[in-house]
Structure formats: structure tokens, C-alpha cells
């Protein structure tokens, strides 16, 4: 699209979305009246504008100008001023009042409103109170224009709107004083962008504001990209030096200053100091204390004849519980805290059903929860009882638009005698903290998960640290039951977990390895398997029943490239399908997509039902795309939701997804490439996690050598956490006095 710049006057605002700034308007240019569409917040008839963008032909609306950027200025001549005021742009001024004001002051109207509003009282119908209100609203509008123009030098329109909504008319002053506050307070602006703004505004590269923000960025990146709860002080200073390229001594002094005011937390360890962001220090400390309190406090409900109850259940269900299954049942219904772990086919679901049955028989109110929507759905289907995501159970809400809060906490705890949480290996420390805040002491808490799977995406490794502390009742199920033994998927999963190569007998029914030597051959085979061979052979849906899993996003066998290839095969372009490009990604009607962040505000309908919430990991399809309204309609297992285009930053194609994103989910068939990659990706627990996602079939394709390295590489990337040590009493945290914010 060729970039074009036009100037003109807004004749009519056809449509405007106050939240997103998306606008459709008619603009009078020197040669024509055009239709312009795009983000142009607070546009009003009568305003003079300079817009940049390009022409496009819309299938329904014809030729229109797509706005990429804009500049606005107040109208200059009396006729344009009248049109502007008569449009309702300034509250308190209608058509008649606008005519009277412009008749009185002509081209000086705006000067009067801005600098001498008392003169407006000479106009019929304007009292001193109304004159003041007109002045204040005009100044607010003018302030918004100034802010949008100032921010437009650094940010796109949508980000500028976020900043304006946060700081209002004071935006420019706030940014000029400390642009690094943007990284703390505005979603989507990180350290690097705020640093770019600061450098443009003349901040020194060694100023304290920059070093404080850089240190926070290093810790935040370590937490939310690498899973650490803290960093050793020397590693923190080294990483900050690599980022900021300023004096190490100055950085050490800045860390000391931040500790003094409570912006960081330090813990003395034998090997040196651990440095935390305050929220993660609080979270780890609280989780340790609350788990110990739950464990040491007997539950209100006590079952005396548990062995008799177990015998009754065996008779009722026609089963015979293994000794460790029986141990898990005894602990779960009698103790304040129980941890149950085990691989596939070891009977975790059987134990959950038994525990639920006992709670129902003796009248213990219980809740079931899991960290993701798909995991909660699986838990509901397996147990026959309703399960919720942890976020929904805690009644999530957003303060100030973006800050996540939970209604359920110490002041409004969960009302239950027992809580069963599945897929606990996925729960990071911040979520575990929020969960435990809502669990009253005296509640029976049962944490269930497979500790051999990948750790959480977020900071910490709660389940692993809880088990390693050896402070609680931990029951590990390791017996594979006869029905499960018939599945090569389950046998191979356990073999992988023991460090043994999986069986890939060509006569197998549900586990295959197809060797290919080159990455492009692997990619082409995967596309053929998914688009043609497997659907034809097994009479399955290529989109609904098949899932490609891969270790990473990058490279020829990463999610980005595989999704392009699979989209071309499974949902190719044709003139009937509408599509929309975001950067390098093209979404089109019929695409398989995944939500990548919990959003509890998205409203959906399912038949006559209405609800809200689409969750991280939910997979759906694009039903329709409306470029004019800038919306898409999605179908998530029958839940129909409308997205505006700004929400698409949390959506990606899901023909291929990372193994990490598959946690908590199961798919009938999985296909996975096996190829040379960095050792951190070729790990046993990544392969084990991938294989255990399959219900009916696993197809691996690639090279045997990387497969062997994955099986033997039992490397678990070190995470800096202290939960294990806190639970065992090996360390105590020291909190300095002072503010927690900087």
C-alpha cells in the first residue's frame, strides 16, 4: 500500500469507538470528499486534519482511505468553528448556542473560551456556571490533543490513548519528569521503549531513574521469562551492566538504595545475597507459611472409619485400590494438606473420584480447580463434577482497567471444607499465593500434578519445591494399571521418564517415529501428515483432532513457520474468505487460533447461555472478520465471542503450538518434530510432557540422534527459588523498613 498524505476538514463522523479510538469519517479535501477509517480518537466535525495512510478497496464499503497516522488542529475560520462547536464537541454547547457564540466572537471564539470564559456570559443562555463548565471541557479536550500530539512522537495511537487514560492532561509533564514510569504503569510499554523515550528527552545514560528501571527490568525478565523468583546479587548486577552499559559500582549503589527504600528485598544466603522484587518475596514467604499452617491444622471434618469407607468404594465401583492409592485417599480426607503426584495411567483420576465420593457421602463441601480452562474442562469430564479455573474460582477482576485482582482472599475466603487442585505443576508462585490467600486454615487442600512435566511458565516451581521440602504427605503413584499398559503412549511416557528410548515398533497402533534427516523434509512431512495422511487413514478432522507440538517458536520447525505452512494447507486463501494482516501474521476466516492470555471480560454466548471469559490456552476458530467494524467473531467449543482488532495481540495461530502451551491439555492425535536444537530445548521433561498430551496417537518425526539426546538429557534448568528452604526453615527473610514502591 503506497503511503499518501492528505489534508482536509472532517465533515461528518460516521462511527467512533470511544475505547479504541477507531473512527469512520467523511473528510473534505481540496479535491473531494473521502471516507477515512482508522484509529483517530476524539475526532469531531469541523476539525482540520492531516492524515497519512493509503487507499484500499473494501468489499462492502468501496474505496476508502486507511489511516496510519494523523495530526489534528482546531478550525481556523468562523464557518469551520461553528461546525465544530455545533457538532457537540464541547459539552454544554448545542447548535443554537454555537451560533450565538460565533456570531459574537467569530474567529476569536476559541481564545475567548480558553482565556476569557467570563466573556461568554454576554451570550444569551450562558450563565457564569455554564461558562466555567464550557471552559473546563474545552481545556480538557485541548489537553487531550496536546497529549496525543506529544505521545505521537514516540507511540502509536492506541498506546497513546492508554497513556492519556492513565495520566490525563498531566501526561507530558509525567513523561518529561520520569519516562521510565511508563514501563511500570502502562501495559505494552517495557523498559526498552521507555528508555528510547528517555534518551530522546535528554536523560543521561547513568541517571538513577534509568538504573532503577533497568534493574527492575532485569529481575522481571528473569522471573517471567526464565522462571526465577530472585537473582543472586552478583548476577543481577552483571545482567544490569550488560543491559545498561554503565558503572558496576553505580549499579551496586543503586541496588543498595532500592533495598533501603524497600523497592527490592534481600535475603542473606551462605553463597551471597538473593535479591527479589517485593511482590515475589511476599508471595514465596506467604506460600511457605500458609502451606505449613494448613498442614499443621487439623481439618474440621474427620473421617474415623476410612478403611471401611475404602472397602465400600471398592465394592461400589468394582475396583481394587493399590496401596498407594489407598494411602492417598486416607491422607486426602483426613489431613490438612496432601500432595498426589504420578505419571499417566497410574490412577490419579481414580483417586480423585474416590475422594469426591467420600466428601459427598459425609457432607464435606468441596471445590475442584485447575490452572487453565482446558485442564478444568478435562477435570470436570473425568470427575463428573464441575471444575473451574483457579482465576474464575477466585473471582478475578481488573482494577484501573489492567491490574489483575481477586475478589476471594483472606477477607472473603472460599466457602468449602476441601479444595482439590489438578495440574498443580503448572501453578506458578504468584498464582499459588493468590490461591492460598483464599483458603482458610482448616480446609483440606489436595494438590495433584505430575512433577516430571515442565515447570510453570511463570516464576517459581511450587509443586517441585513442596515435594523436595519433605515436609508434607506426598504420595507418588508409580504403578501402571493393566488397561494403561495396553497403550504404548503410556508405556513410552514412563520409559522416557526413566531415561529409556521409547519403543517405535512399526506394528504399533498408537506410537510412531518416522525418520527424516533434513528440517525442510520434516516440515513437509508434518504438513502432509496433518493435512492428508492421518485424516484420510483414521477418518479424523485435521483441525479438531490433530495438534502439532514443537519445542520452540523460532526456526523452520518452530510454531511461526509451521503455522504458515499448515495454514496454507488447511485454510488456504480464496476470494470468499476475509482476512486481516497484523504485522507478519495473516488471520483469515476459518483459521484455528489460540488465546494466549486469560481475559475474563470477553463476553460469549452458547445457545441461550451467556457468560464471560476466554482463557490462556483456549483453542478456537475464526468465524468471521469485519474489517469495517474492526472485529472478529470466534468460536471456542461452541462459545461465540466477538473480538475487536486490538484484542488480537493475545491471539495466535494454533495449527502448531509450543509444548509449554500444551500443558494442561490433551489432544486425540499429536505430531511433533524431533530436530537439532539447543540443549535447553532437548530435555527429557519436554519430550515427556509432549507425549503425555496425546490420547490416541503420537507421531514423532525427524532424527533419532536428537531423540536420544532428549531422553538422556535430564537437565532441569535451575530456577532461583527459596520455597523449599523456607518450608524447611533453612532461611529467614529480612524485610527492610520503608516504602515498597519507587
Amino acid at each position: 500500500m503506497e503511503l499518501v498524505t492528505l489534508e482536509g476538514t472532517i465533515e461528518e463522523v460516521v462511527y467512533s469507538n470511544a475505547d479504541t479510538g477507531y473512527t469512520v469519517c467523511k473528510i473534505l479535501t481540496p479535491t473531494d470528499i473521502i471516507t477515512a477509517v482508522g484509529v483517530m480518537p476524539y475526532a469531531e466535525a469541523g476539525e482540520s486534519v492531516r492524515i497519512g495512510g493509503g487507499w484500499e478497496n473494501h468489499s462492502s464499503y468501496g474505496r476508502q482511505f486507511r489511516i496510519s497516522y494523523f495530526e489534528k488542529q482546531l478550525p481556523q475560520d468562523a464557518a469551520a468553528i461553528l461546525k465544530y462547536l455545533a457538532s457537540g464537541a464541547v459539552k454544554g454547547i448545542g447548535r443554537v448556542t454555537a451560533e450565538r457564540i460565533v456570531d459574537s466572537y467569530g474567529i476569536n471564539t476559541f481564545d475567548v473560551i480558553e482565556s476569557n470564559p467570563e466573556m461568554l456570559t454576554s451570550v444569551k443562555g450562558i450563565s457564569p456556571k455554564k461558562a466555567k463548565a464550557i471552559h473546563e471541557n474545552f481545556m480538557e479536550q485541548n489537553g487531550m490533543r496536546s497529549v496525543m500530539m506529544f505521545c505521537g512522537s514516540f507511540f502509536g495511537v492506541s498506546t497513546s490513548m492508554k497513556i492519556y487514560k492513565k495520566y490525563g492532561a498531566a501526561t507530558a509533564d509525567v513523561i518529561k519528569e520520569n519516562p521510565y514510569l511508563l514501563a511500570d504503569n502502562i501495559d505494552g510499554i517495557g523498559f526498552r521503549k521507555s528508555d528510547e523515550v528517555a534518551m530522546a528527552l535528554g536523560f543521561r545514560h547513568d541517571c538513577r531513574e534509568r538504573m532503577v528501571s533497568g534493574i527492575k527490568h532485569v529481575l522481571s525478565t528473569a522471573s517471567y521469562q526464565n522462571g526465577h523468583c530472585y537473582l543472586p546479587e552478583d548476577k543481577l548486577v552483571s545482567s544490569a551492566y550488560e543491559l545498561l552499559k554503565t558503572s558496576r559500582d553505580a549499579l551496586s549503589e543503586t541496588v543498595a538504595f532500592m533495598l533501603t527504600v524497600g523497592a527490592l528485598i534481600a535475603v542473606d544466603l551462605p553463597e551471597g545475597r538473593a535479591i527479589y522484587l517485593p511482590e515475589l518475596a511476599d508471595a514465596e514467604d506467604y506460600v511457605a507459611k500458609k502451606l505449613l499452617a494448613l498442614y499443621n491444622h487439623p481439618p474440621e471434618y474427620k473421617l474415623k472409619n476410612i478403611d471401611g469407607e475404602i472397602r465400600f468404594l471398592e465394592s461400589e465401583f468394582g475396583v481394587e485400590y493399590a496401596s498407594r492409592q489407598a494411602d492417598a485417599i486416607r491422607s486426602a480426607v483426613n489431613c490438612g494438606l496432601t500432595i498426589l503426584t504420578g505419571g499417566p495411567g497410574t490412577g490419579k483420576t481414580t483417586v480423585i473420584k474416590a475422594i469426591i465420593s467420600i466428601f459427598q457421602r459425609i457432607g464435606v463441601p468441596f471445590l475442584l480447580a485447575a490452572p487453565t480452562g482446558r485442564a478444568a474442562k478435562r477435570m470436570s469430564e473425568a470427575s463428573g463434577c464441575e471444575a473451574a479455573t483457579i482465576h474464575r474460582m477466585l473471582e478475578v477482576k481488573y482494577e484501573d482497567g489492567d491490574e489483575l485482582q481477586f475478589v476471594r482472599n483472606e477477607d472473603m475466603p472460599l466457602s468449602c471444607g476441601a479444595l482439590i487442585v489438578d495440574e498443580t505443576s503448572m501453578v506458578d508462585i504468584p498464582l499459588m499465593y493468590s490461591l492460598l490467600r483464599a483458603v482458610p486454615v482448616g480446609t483440606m487442600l489436595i494438590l495433584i500434578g505430575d512433577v516430571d512435566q515442565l515447570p510453570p511458565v511463570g516464576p517459581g516451581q511450587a509443586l517441585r519445591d513442596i515435594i523436595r521440602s519433605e515436609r508434607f504427605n506426598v504420595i507418588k503413584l508409580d504403578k501402571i494399571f493393566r488397561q494403561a499398559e495396553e497403550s504404548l503412549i503410556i508405556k513410552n511416557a514412563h520409559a522416557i521418564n526413566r531415561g529409556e528410548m521409547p519403543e517405535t515398533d512399526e506394528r504399533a497402533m498408537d506410537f510412531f517415529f518416522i525418520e527424516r534427516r533434513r528440517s525442510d523434509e520434516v516440515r513437509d512431512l508434518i504438513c502432509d501428515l496433518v493435512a492428508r495422511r492421518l485424516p484420510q487413514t483414521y477418518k479424523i478432522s485435521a483441525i479438531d483432532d490433530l495438534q502439532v507440538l514443537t519445542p520452540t517458536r523460532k526456526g523452520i520447525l518452530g510454531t511461526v513457520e509451521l503455522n504458515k505452512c499448515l495454514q496454507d494447507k488447511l485454510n488456504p486463501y480464496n476470494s470468499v474468505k476475509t482476512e486481516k494482516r497484523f504485522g507478519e501474521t495473516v488471520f483469515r476466516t476459518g483459521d484455528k487460533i489460540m488465546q494466549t492470555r486469560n481475559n475474563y471480560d470477553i463476553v460469549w454466548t452458547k445457545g441461550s447461555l451467556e457468560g464471560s471469559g476466554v482463557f490462556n490456552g483456549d483453542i478456537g476458530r475464526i468465524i468471521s472478520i469485519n474489517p469495517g467494524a474492526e472485529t472478529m467473531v470466534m468460536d471456542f467449543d461452541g462459545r461465540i465471542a466477538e473480538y475487536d482488532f486490538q484484542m488480537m495481540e493475545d491471539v495466535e495461530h494454533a495449527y502448531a503450538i509450543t509444548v509449554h502451551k500444551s500443558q494442561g491439555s490433551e489432544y486425540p492425535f499429536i505430531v511433533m518434530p524431533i530436530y537439532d536444537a539447543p540443549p535447553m530445548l532437548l530435555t527429557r521433561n519436554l519430550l515427556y510432557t509432549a507425549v503425555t498430551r496425546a490420547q490416541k496417537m503420537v507421531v514423532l518425526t525427524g532424527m533419532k540422534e536428537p531423540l536420544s539426546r532428549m531422553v538422556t538429557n535430564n537437565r532441569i534448568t535451575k530456577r532461583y527459588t527459596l520455597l523449599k528452604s523456607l518450608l524447611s526453615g533453612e532461611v529467614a527473610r529480612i524485610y527492610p523498613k520503608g516504602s515498597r514502591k519507587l
Side-chain angles (χ1 to χ4, degrees):
M1 184 171 68
E2 182 183 356
L3 185 65
V4 180
T5 301
L6 301 174
E7 294 184 358
T9 303
I10 298 177
E11 286 286 298
E12 177 189 1
V13 177
V14 179
Y15 170 82
S16 181
N17 185 312
D19 292 328
T20 64
Y22 178 76
T23 301
V24 180
C25 62
K26 302 289 186 181
I27 297 178
L28 175 63
T29 71
T31 59
D32 198 3
I33 295 179
I34 67 166
T35 299
V37 299
V39 178
M40 192 163 65
Y42 307 106
E44 298 290 350
E47 288 182 311
S48 297
V49 294
R50 185 171 183 266
I51 56 176
W55 293 102
E56 63 181 21
N57 285 305
H58 191 276
S59 57
S60 300
Y61 303 106
R63 192 168 187 255
Q64 56 188 22
F65 190 84
R66 173 70 58 178
I67 300 169
S68 299
Y69 72 89
F70 73 96
E71 297 175 7
K72 293 197 294 185
Q73 61 183 38
L74 290 173
Q76 303 297 311
D77 62 82
I81 292 171
L82 173 60
K83 186 172 186 130
Y84 174 76
L85 292 178
S87 72
V90 179
K91 291 180 182 177
I93 300 179
R95 178 78 194 183
V96 173
T97 303
E99 289 175 348
R100 291 172 179 168
I101 295 173
V102 176
D103 285 345
S104 298
Y105 301 111
I107 61 173
N108 297 315
T109 293
F110 291 141
D111 290 335
V112 170
I113 294 174
E114 181 176 351
S115 304
N116 300 291
E118 66 279 359
M119 293 174 62
L120 293 174
T121 58
S122 65
V123 175
K124 183 180 178 181
I126 300 181
S127 64
K129 182 177 180 181
K130 186 172 183 179
K132 181 182 179 184
I134 290 171
H135 164 75
E136 289 176 349
N137 186 253
F138 178 81
M139 294 305 293
E140 181 182 345
Q141 293 278 352
N142 200 43
M144 179 276 298
R145 285 188 188 85
S146 300
V147 167
M148 296 299 286
M149 294 300 293
F150 175 78
C151 289
S153 304
F154 307 110
F155 307 105
V157 177
S158 59
T159 301
S160 297
M161 286 187 66
K162 287 182 183 179
I163 299 169
Y164 177 72
K165 287 180 179 180
K166 177 70 176 178
Y167 298 117
T171 294
D173 292 335
V174 170
I175 294 175
K176 288 175 182 177
E177 183 177 350
N178 185 359
Y180 295 101
L181 291 175
L182 296 171
D184 292 338
N185 299 323
I186 306 298
D187 188 33
I189 298 181
F191 167 79
R192 296 186 187 279
K193 185 61 181 179
S194 60
D195 193 41
E196 179 184 316
V197 175
M199 294 300 103
L201 293 175
F203 278 70
R204 298 192 332 269
H205 84 286
D206 60 348
C207 67
R208 173 166 280 181
E209 293 90 345
R210 183 171 188 261
M211 288 191 286
V212 165
S213 185
I215 288 166
K216 287 182 179 178
H217 172 74
V218 168
L219 281 170
S220 181
T221 301
S223 296
Y224 290 94
Q225 290 188 14
N226 300 317
H228 302 304
C229 288
Y230 72 86
L231 282 180
E233 187 171 12
D234 59 342
K235 289 185 179 293
L236 172 59
V237 172
S238 293
S239 297
Y241 173 77
E242 290 299 319
L243 174 71
L244 303 172
K245 297 298 189 244
T246 189
S247 162
R248 291 179 184 269
D249 289 342
L251 288 167
S252 295
E253 290 171 6
T254 303
V255 169
F257 163 71
M258 295 173 74
L259 288 168
T260 300
V261 298
L264 298 177
I265 302 297
V267 182
D268 290 322
L269 302 174
E271 60 272 23
R273 285 202 300 186
I275 307 295
Y276 278 87
L277 290 170
E279 58 269 24
L280 287 175
D282 285 340
E284 270 208 315
D285 192 59
Y286 183 92
V287 167
K289 290 176 180 176
K290 190 61 173 284
L291 288 172
L292 290 169
L294 286 165
Y295 181 68
N296 293 324
H297 193 286
E300 296 178 5
Y301 301 88
K302 198 80 171 179
L303 185 61
K304 295 180 180 178
N305 186 18
I306 181 61
D307 288 334
E309 193 69 31
I310 289 173
R311 287 193 296 272
F312 171 80
L313 290 174
E314 288 179 326
S315 174
E316 182 78 6
F317 295 144
V319 299
E320 182 178 347
Y321 298 117
S323 60
R324 290 191 182 179
Q325 287 182 308
D327 289 342
I329 296 169
R330 291 187 189 94
S331 176
V333 300
N334 274 323
C335 299
L337 177 62
T338 298
I339 293 91
L340 175 62
T341 185
T346 56
K348 294 192 299 294
T349 300
T350 300
V351 172
I352 293 174
K353 288 180 178 179
I355 294 167
I356 289 173
S357 180
I358 292 174
F359 286 154
Q360 289 172 331
R361 281 170 54 79
I362 65 176
V364 176
F366 62 90
L367 293 172
L368 307 179
T372 68
R374 293 177 74 88
K377 182 180 178 182
R378 287 200 304 112
M379 193 180 190
S380 297
E381 293 169 348
S383 67
C385 297
E386 183 179 357
T389 65
I390 295 173
H391 284 77
R392 182 171 292 284
M393 182 181 67
L394 298 180
E395 299 178 35
V396 71
K397 65 177 182 177
Y398 290 93
E399 294 288 342
D400 299 324
D402 291 317
E403 189 176 352
L404 183 145
Q405 300 285 337
F406 293 105
V407 173
R408 296 288 180 173
N409 51 36
E410 298 93 340
D411 298 325
M412 189 180 290
L414 296 169
S415 179
C416 62
L419 171 62
I420 304 174
V421 182
D422 199 9
E423 297 286 359
T424 311
S425 63
M426 297 177 63
V427 179
D428 62 19
I429 281 293
L431 185 56
M432 183 65 77
Y433 164 72
S434 297
L435 173 66
L436 293 178
R437 287 183 64 197
V439 179
V441 173
T443 303
M444 289 175 277
L445 177 62
I446 301 103
L447 302 178
I448 301 170
D450 187 346
V451 76
D452 295 315
Q453 289 187 18
L454 290 169
V457 174
Q461 47 187 15
L463 183 63
R464 184 180 300 276
D465 284 346
I466 290 168
I467 292 173
R468 288 171 61 228
S469 74
E470 300 181 350
R471 289 296 303 269
F472 309 111
N473 295 335
V474 178
I475 297 94
K476 181 169 185 178
L477 304 179
D478 53 13
K479 177 183 177 182
I480 305 175
F481 286 88
R482 184 160 51 90
Q483 310 94 291
E485 283 182 337
E486 297 172 2
S487 166
L488 197 54
I489 295 173
I490 291 176
K491 289 177 68 175
N492 278 340
H494 286 274
I496 291 166
N497 210 21
R498 294 190 300 267
E500 302 169 4
M501 282 288 285
E503 293 181 30
T504 55
D505 191 326
E506 293 183 359
R507 295 170 296 175
M509 299 298 293
D510 61 0
F511 198 106
F512 299 93
F513 182 89
I514 305 174
E515 190 164 7
R516 292 290 186 273
R517 301 302 302 176
R518 299 203 323 258
S519 292
D520 59 337
E521 292 177 336
V522 175
R523 178 201 59 201
D524 294 344
L525 176 59
I526 286 174
C527 290
D528 190 41
L529 284 168
V530 173
R532 184 181 65 84
R533 288 169 57 174
L534 290 172
Q536 288 181 4
T537 302
Y538 296 97
K539 310 303 179 189
I540 58 174
S541 165
I543 291 182
D544 297 330
D545 297 320
L546 273 163
Q547 185 60 59
V548 176
L549 304 182
T550 186
T552 183
R553 294 178 55 83
K554 300 177 181 179
I556 192 173
L557 294 173
T559 57
V560 175
E561 291 302 318
L562 283 173
N563 272 316
K564 288 179 182 178
C565 173
L566 290 164
Q567 182 191 39
D568 288 342
K569 293 285 188 182
L570 298 174
N571 191 32
Y573 168 80
N574 65 45
S575 58
V576 177
K577 296 175 183 175
T578 308
E579 60 180 40
K580 172 65 181 175
R581 177 181 291 274
F582 296 90
E584 296 299 313
T585 303
V586 175
F587 291 101
R588 64 176 61 108
T589 306
D591 269 343
K592 181 178 182 179
I593 48 87
M594 171 184 277
Q595 175 77 12
T596 61
R597 186 171 71 94
N598 289 336
N599 189 325
Y600 289 82
D601 295 328
I602 297 176
V603 176
W604 53 261
T605 58
K606 187 173 185 178
S608 60
L609 298 176
E610 183 174 297
S612 63
V614 179
F615 312 114
N616 182 11
D618 280 358
I619 290 178
R621 302 277 287 275
I622 298 176
I623 298 177
S624 64
I625 302 174
N626 186 336
E630 297 210 334
T631 59
M632 293 192 191
V633 177
M634 313 290 197
D635 181 350
F636 294 95
D637 292 327
R639 295 173 296 147
I640 309 300
E642 185 177 79
Y643 281 53
D644 66 52
F645 281 0
Q646 282 193 332
M647 295 157 65
M648 292 302 291
E649 65 184 8
D650 296 327
V651 175
E652 59 187 35
H653 285 120
Y655 301 105
I657 64 175
T658 63
V659 178
H660 276 93
K661 281 293 184 185
S662 74
Q663 286 180 270
S665 301
E666 285 186 346
Y667 312 95
F669 289 62
I670 71 151
V671 178
M672 181 179 177
I674 304 295
Y675 57 97
D676 276 321
M680 66 180 66
L681 295 175
L682 297 182
T683 63
R684 182 186 300 174
N685 64 349
L686 186 139
L687 178 62
Y688 173 78
T689 301
V691 167
T692 55
R693 300 308 90 204
Q695 295 170 315
K696 296 180 180 179
M697 182 173 292
V698 171
V699 181
L700 307 178
T701 177
M703 295 176 281
K704 283 284 181 74
E705 296 89 339
L707 178 63
S708 176
R709 291 202 297 274
M710 292 183 88
V711 171
T712 57
N713 181 9
N714 198 25
R715 166 184 173 178
I716 298 174
T717 303
K718 179 177 176 57
R719 292 194 171 199
Y720 291 113
T721 71
L722 286 183
L723 181 58
K724 171 184 174 291
S725 299
L726 288 164
L727 289 170
S728 63
E730 295 172 12
V731 300
R733 184 154 293 131
I734 302 170
Y735 292 104
K737 295 180 180 179
S739 169
R740 285 293 176 85
K741 294 185 178 179
L742 190 61

